[in-house]
Amino acid sequence: MQGDPALPADFDHLPYANPDAPKGGTMRYGVFGTFDNLNPVIVRGALTTARGLWFDKQFGNLVFEPLMQRSADEPFTMYGLLAETVETDDERSFVEFQLNPQATFSDGKPVRPEDVLFTVEMLREHGRPMYANWLRPAVTIEKVGEHGVRFTFDQTADRETPMLISGLPVLPEHAFDRATFEQTTIEPVIGSGPYVIDTVEPGQRIVYRKDPDYWGKDLPVKQGFDNYETIAIEYFRDANAQFEAFKKGLSHVYIEGDPNHWRTAYDFPAVTKGDVVLETFTSGAPSNMLGFVFNTRRDVFADRKVRKALSMLFDFEWANHNLFYDAYARTGSFFQNSELSSYGRPASDAEQALLARYPDAVEPEVMDGSYAPMQTDGSGSDRKALQAAVTALREAGYSFEGRSLIGPDGRPLSFEILVQSSEQERIALAYKRSLDRVGIRATIRQVDDAQYQARKNAYDYDMILATYSASLSPGAEQVYRWGSVSRDLAGTFNYAGAADPALDDMIGEIVAARSREDFVAAVRAYDRVLISGHYVLPLFHLPEQWLARWQFIRHPETTPLYGYQLPAFWRDPASVD
C-alpha cells in the first residue's frame, strides 16, 4: 500500500511458512454458530455462510481464491495467486491482471478473464455492499488478450482500489446461474482453491477434501500451506460444548479469549500428560476494539453527551480483578498498541491540519493526548466515578425523579443490551451493576445465534457487544464500519449508525495517503474522531494471543506480524486420524 514489497521477485515462500511442512491427515476445527449457505459473497445468508470457503481470517481461502494473496508479515502487500502479473501506474488510475495460464477450477476448466468479468457483475448486482463499493470506481472492465483483465478507474478511485480488487474472489461463470445467484444454497460450489467441498450437513458440519489436481500447489505463496488431506469444521450452538469437543480430541485447536477459562479450564488429563499444548503468541498488529456499541439510530443514544456519560459507568478495574484475574488491559483507542493509535499522543501538526476543517469533531483532551477511559478505585462503587457520570447526564438534560433518571422527553433513561452468549452476558451484568446504582434501567436479553444475527443485520437493538478487528492497513473497509453511506444499508458493520462528515473525510485521507508518514497521521486523526464520537464504550483487550492445540498439530517457528496463522499449521505424520 505504501513503499515496496518486502520480498524480492524471486522469493520461494512466505517467511512465516515452513515450505517443508509434512502433508496429510485431518484437521478438525470447532466453531461457534451455524450455517445454511455456501455462497460467500451474497447479502442473503451473509451472516450464516459456511466457514472456510473464502476470506476466512482463521482458515484461509479453501475453495475460492483471489487474484492476489495478502502477506501476514507486512501491513498491506499483495503477491500473485490467480494473477501471474499485475500492472498499474503511479496514479493507480488502472490495474491490469494477467491470469496464470495454469489456473483451473476444481472441475478442470480454466480460470478465464470471462470468469473475472462474471464475478464483477455478480458482486455489483448481488454482492455484499462493500464489494460493490470497492468496484464502483471501475468505469471500464475489459478483457485484454487471452489471459488479461484491465480495470480503468474514474476520479473516485483511491490508491487502495486496485489492492481491494486484487483480493476479491474469482467465481466460475459456468458453475453459477445468474437467475438464482442471489439465493442461498447448500449445494457444493466449485472454486479454484486447494480444497473441494466433500460433505455438507447444514448447521452442523462441513468437510473439505484436498484437491489432488490443485493447480497452484507449486506457487511461492502456497509453499507450507494447505497441509491437510481433509479439513472438517464442526459447528456448536454452545461454547461449552465446543470446548468439551476439543477436550475429547474432536477438534484439534482452540482459540482462547477468556482469561478465566485460560486459567481454570485447562486442568484436564490431556494437558497434564502433554497431549494438549498451551501457547501464547505476540502480534505486531493493533489490538482489536471490544466494546458496547451504542446504536445511534435509537433516540436514547442520539446525543453524544449521553453516550459519553454512559461510557463512564463501566467499572473496568472491578470487573478485571473480580471476573478476569486482572488479565486484561483497558482499551482506549481503535488502533491501540501500534503506531497508528492516537492514545496518549498529542496531535501532530499534520493531524491538526487534517482536523482543522472540523473544529468540533475532536474533544480537547483527545486532541492533546490526555484522554483516558474512566478509572475507578476497583471497589465496585467508586462514588467519584459515579458522580462524574451523573453530572455529565445532568448537563445533557437528565434529572432524578425518585430513583430514576428522567430525560428531557420525560422518559426514564432505559435501554436493552442484546447478547448472544453467557460470556457476553457476564460482561453486560458487570456494566448493569453500575447503571443500576445511578437509576438507569438496563435490561439484558440473550437470544440464539440465528435471532442475534438477524437482529444485528437489521440494526434491531439498542446496544450490543461487538469486536472491531484492527490492522496495520485500515482503508476502504472502514466505509462499511463508520462511513455515512453505510448507516442505512442492511448487513454492514456500521453497528453504531455513524454518519459524520469528519469520519468520511478522514477515511478518504487514509486511502489517499502515499507515504507512511501521511498514512499514520490520517489514521491517528481518524482515531481521534472515533474516540470523541463515543460510539463505543471501549472495554478491554488481551496483550497476547492464546491458543490450545493437540500436540500432533505443529506450526512454524516464525510468527508473522499479524500473529499465528492457522493455515500454515500441519499435522505430525506420525499421528493417527
Side-chain angles (χ1 to χ4, degrees):
M1 185 62 186
Q2 294 100 22
D4 297 319
L7 301 180
D10 60 350
F11 80 96
D12 57 9
H13 70 279
L14 294 172
Y16 54 91
N18 174 12
D20 299 319
K23 306 290 185 180
T26 296
M27 166 58 93
R28 300 184 186 278
Y29 293 115
V31 298
F32 178 76
T34 187
F35 78 95
D36 59 7
N37 177 38
L38 299 181
N39 185 334
V41 300
I42 58 175
V43 174
R44 187 182 302 175
L47 297 176
T48 53
T49 300
R51 299 285 304 273
L53 291 164
W54 172 71
F55 202 58
D56 194 301
K57 290 184 177 180
Q58 290 181 8
F59 310 142
N61 306 313
L62 301 182
V63 174
F64 296 108
E65 292 185 308
L67 292 162
M68 304 186 76
Q69 178 72 47
R70 188 168 182 168
S71 169
D73 208 35
E74 301 176 54
F76 197 0
T77 301
M78 309 291 286
Y79 294 94
L81 185 54
L82 285 172
E84 188 173 43
T85 67
V86 59
E87 178 186 355
T88 187
D89 59 356
D90 187 59
E91 298 298 323
R92 297 192 182 178
S93 64
F94 77 94
V95 64
E96 181 177 314
F97 303 99
Q98 288 291 326
L99 299 177
N100 191 316
Q102 304 302 316
T104 61
F105 294 105
S106 61
D107 61 359
K109 295 184 181 297
V111 179
R112 309 164 302 145
E114 288 83 358
D115 296 305
V116 178
L117 299 178
F118 167 77
T119 300
V120 169
E121 179 186 347
M122 293 299 99
L123 290 179
R124 280 179 159 174
E125 293 183 9
H126 308 298
R128 302 182 195 182
M130 64 179 179
Y131 303 146
N133 185 64
W134 294 351
L135 290 162
R136 190 181 63 248
V139 291
T140 304
I141 307 172
E142 55 191 335
K143 180 179 178 180
V144 179
E146 185 179 358
H147 300 293
V149 179
R150 185 182 181 97
F151 295 76
T152 304
F153 307 118
D154 62 18
Q155 297 302 312
T156 66
D158 54 61
R159 292 183 58 76
E160 191 178 13
T161 298
M163 302 190 71
L164 295 173
I165 289 175
S166 73
L168 291 174
V170 176
L171 310 176
E173 181 182 22
H174 66 275
F176 284 92
D177 184 346
R178 280 179 166 82
T180 60
F181 185 87
E182 65 179 337
Q183 299 176 11
T184 61
T185 180
I186 58 171
E187 292 298 318
V189 289
I190 293 172
S192 64
Y195 289 86
V196 296
I197 298 172
D198 184 71
T199 304
V200 179
E201 299 177 36
Q204 300 179 54
R205 177 184 303 104
I206 182 167
V207 179
Y208 300 95
R209 174 174 45 82
K210 194 169 185 178
D211 181 359
D213 300 317
Y214 174 51
W215 73 273
K217 60 180 178 297
D218 295 325
L219 294 176
V221 293
K222 282 296 182 178
Q223 301 312 296
F225 294 91
D226 313 322
N227 298 319
Y228 309 109
E229 185 66 27
T230 305
I231 295 176
I233 302 177
E234 305 277 348
Y235 282 76
F236 298 90
R237 301 294 183 93
D238 179 85
N240 290 331
Q242 179 186 353
F243 184 67
E244 289 300 317
F246 170 73
K247 288 169 61 177
K248 296 174 182 177
L250 300 179
S251 63
H252 299 156
V253 297
Y254 192 86
I255 299 170
E256 186 59 80
D258 183 343
N260 291 347
H261 206 249
W262 185 245
R263 284 166 172 77
T264 63
Y266 292 88
D267 57 355
F268 52 93
V271 175
T272 305
K273 293 190 296 183
D275 292 336
V276 167
V277 180
L278 309 183
E279 290 189 287
T280 61
F281 299 84
T282 57
S283 167
S287 300
N288 292 339
M289 166 63 80
L290 168 69
F292 288 105
V293 182
F294 300 101
N295 186 356
T296 63
R297 303 172 184 85
R298 301 292 171 93
D299 291 341
V300 65
F301 296 141
D303 188 340
R304 180 170 71 172
K305 293 179 180 178
V306 173
R307 301 195 299 269
K308 181 178 181 179
L310 292 172
S311 296
M312 299 178 181
L313 288 169
F314 182 78
D315 193 336
F316 166 73
E317 286 71 22
W318 179 89
N320 195 36
H321 181 71
N322 290 278
L323 302 180
F324 304 119
Y325 293 84
D326 293 316
Y328 285 114
R330 189 73 195 266
T331 305
S333 162
F334 287 79
F335 303 96
Q336 194 143 335
N337 298 324
S338 78
E339 66 171 340
L340 303 180
S341 174
S342 68
Y343 190 57
R345 294 184 171 108
S348 65
D349 291 343
E351 291 174 67
Q352 293 184 48
L354 291 173
L355 294 167
R357 300 186 290 269
Y358 307 98
D360 299 324
V362 178
E363 297 174 331
E365 63 271 24
V366 178
M367 187 71 84
D368 65 23
S370 63
Y371 157 80
M374 175 66 71
Q375 294 182 339
T376 73
D377 59 13
S379 65
S381 57
D382 187 334
R383 295 182 62 84
K384 184 177 180 180
L386 296 173
Q387 185 58 51
V390 170
T391 298
L393 285 167
R394 288 185 186 277
E395 293 175 354
Y398 283 82
S399 59
F400 276 103
E401 288 187 10
R403 300 184 63 182
S404 297
L405 272 172
I406 305 300
D409 58 0
R411 297 178 180 177
L413 179 49
S414 63
F415 55 89
E416 180 185 88
I417 306 172
L418 185 68
V419 300
Q420 67 175 144
S421 67
S422 57
E423 289 79 9
Q424 288 190 352
E425 183 181 36
R426 181 169 55 168
I427 300 172
L429 286 169
Y431 185 33
K432 178 174 165 56
R433 289 179 74 255
S434 296
L435 296 172
D436 289 343
R437 290 178 182 275
V438 296
I440 298 172
R441 302 176 185 175
T443 58
I444 301 170
R445 175 171 296 188
Q446 181 176 345
V447 297
D448 62 36
D449 186 66
Q451 184 179 353
Y452 183 86
Q453 298 296 347
R455 289 185 61 176
K456 188 168 69 169
N457 195 41
Y459 314 121
D460 181 19
Y461 50 82
D462 296 333
M463 174 182 282
I464 59 171
L465 268 164
T467 299
Y468 297 89
S469 60
S471 79
L472 291 166
S473 60
E477 82 286 345
Q478 300 295 314
V479 170
Y480 285 89
R481 295 185 180 192
W482 301 105
S484 299
V485 69
S486 62
R487 184 180 191 274
D488 298 318
L489 291 177
T492 76
F493 300 105
N494 192 346
Y495 303 132
D500 183 346
L503 288 174
D504 296 336
D505 200 359
M506 292 308 106
I507 294 172
E509 294 288 346
I510 289 170
V511 296
R514 293 196 174 208
S515 70
R516 188 68 184 174
E517 293 76 17
D518 289 346
F519 178 75
V520 171
V523 178
R524 288 181 183 175
Y526 177 56
D527 191 33
R528 295 183 199 278
V529 178
L530 282 173
I531 293 169
S532 300
H534 298 285
Y535 299 104
V536 172
L537 191 173
L539 293 177
F540 38 72
H541 61 273
L542 294 171
E544 56 194 8
Q545 297 175 326
W546 296 332
L547 181 74
R549 61 177 172 85
W550 283 81
Q551 60 83 24
F552 53 76
I553 300 298
R554 309 293 174 84
H555 60 76
E557 294 182 4
T558 301
T559 301
L561 184 65
Y562 280 102
Y564 68 83
Q565 302 294 306
L566 290 179
F569 286 28
W570 66 88
R571 183 162 182 159
D572 184 342
S575 65
V576 178
D577 283 333

